[in-house]
Amino acid sequence: MSVIIPPQFTLRRLRGAIRARHLYDYLLWLQGLASSGVPGPTGPTGATGSTGPTGSTGDTGPAGPTGSTGDTGPTGATGSIGAIGTMIFQDKAPQTISASTDAFLPTQTYHPIVVTGGNHALISTPTIQWASAVAGQVIVIANLRSSSFHVTLNRGAAYGLSLSNANKVIDPGGTMTLVYDGTVWVELTHTGSTTV
């Protein structure tokens, strides 16, 4: 370690007649240097202090805008139509119509009849007497080909019949289909007669 001597105490300055004052000051400077010493090296850095507690969470920000609706997916394929079922009416023994006062007394959709004793214009009220009939129920009246005569149905509320004409004749081999609307029987189809 080097010591820098103040310029007033250099040999050039003290050369020649040495003054007692300068020598005395030089000795005092050396004494002060010896007593104070040269500053030592910097000591090591102290340990880092512990981390402080975590601050509280800030307020939640506002919700962002709602996104746009995605495109509609494609429509699925249409399923195939099932096979059409077969409609079969239950057969039954025919009802005999032998007078104009007779009424049809059906118990099922298909109602065959045989007309005897001549042609008859039915005047019974109502003409179709089916106590358990409900709206939407259908009846098919069939005058069998084995009949020798026809039967006539008359239109009117008293007869409980709503027909396209004032009366309808059902000859042997002919049919009439009607549907019950909850009050009267309404004509759907009429075939006066058929032949083989």
Side-chain angles (χ1 to χ4, degrees):
M1 181 180 64
S2 61
V3 178
I4 299 174
I5 301 174
Q8 67 268 32
F9 300 134
T10 61
L11 293 177
R12 185 178 63 180
R13 182 71 179 266
L14 298 177
R15 185 179 301 163
I18 300 176
R19 297 180 180 180
R21 178 178 176 79
H22 288 289
L23 181 59
Y24 177 73
D25 290 340
Y26 177 67
L27 293 175
L28 288 178
W29 178 79
L30 289 177
Q31 183 181 3
L33 183 63
S35 60
S36 61
V38 179
T42 302
T45 303
T48 303
S50 59
T51 303
T54 302
S56 58
T57 303
D59 296 335
T60 302
T66 303
S68 58
T69 304
D71 297 334
T72 302
T75 304
T78 303
S80 58
I81 299 175
I84 298 175
T86 302
M87 182 169 57
I88 301 175
F89 296 127
Q90 185 177 357
D91 196 8
K92 62 172 290 186
Q95 177 188 354
T96 299
I97 302 296
S98 58
S100 60
T101 55
D102 287 343
F104 298 124
L105 305 174
T107 57
Q108 59 189 44
T109 299
Y110 177 64
H111 188 67
I113 61 171
V114 173
V115 183
T116 63
N119 298 322
H120 303 295
L122 301 181
I123 59 172
S124 54
T125 55
T127 301
I128 301 174
Q129 298 182 14
W130 195 349
S132 62
V134 296
Q137 195 153 347
V138 173
I139 183 173
V140 179
I141 300 172
N143 189 1
L144 298 182
R145 291 193 305 273
S146 57
S147 294
S148 300
F149 305 98
H150 68 250
V151 66
T152 302
L153 281 66
N154 296 305
R155 181 173 62 187
Y159 300 110
L161 296 174
S162 177
L163 308 177
S164 58
N165 294 322
N167 53 65
K168 287 296 181 76
V169 176
I170 307 176
D171 288 311
T175 63
M176 175 174 280
T177 303
L178 306 100
V179 61
Y180 188 58
D181 68 0
T183 303
V184 297
W185 291 91
V186 181
E187 176 187 346
L188 291 178
T189 63
H190 171 239
T191 303
S193 64
T194 60
T195 58
V196 178

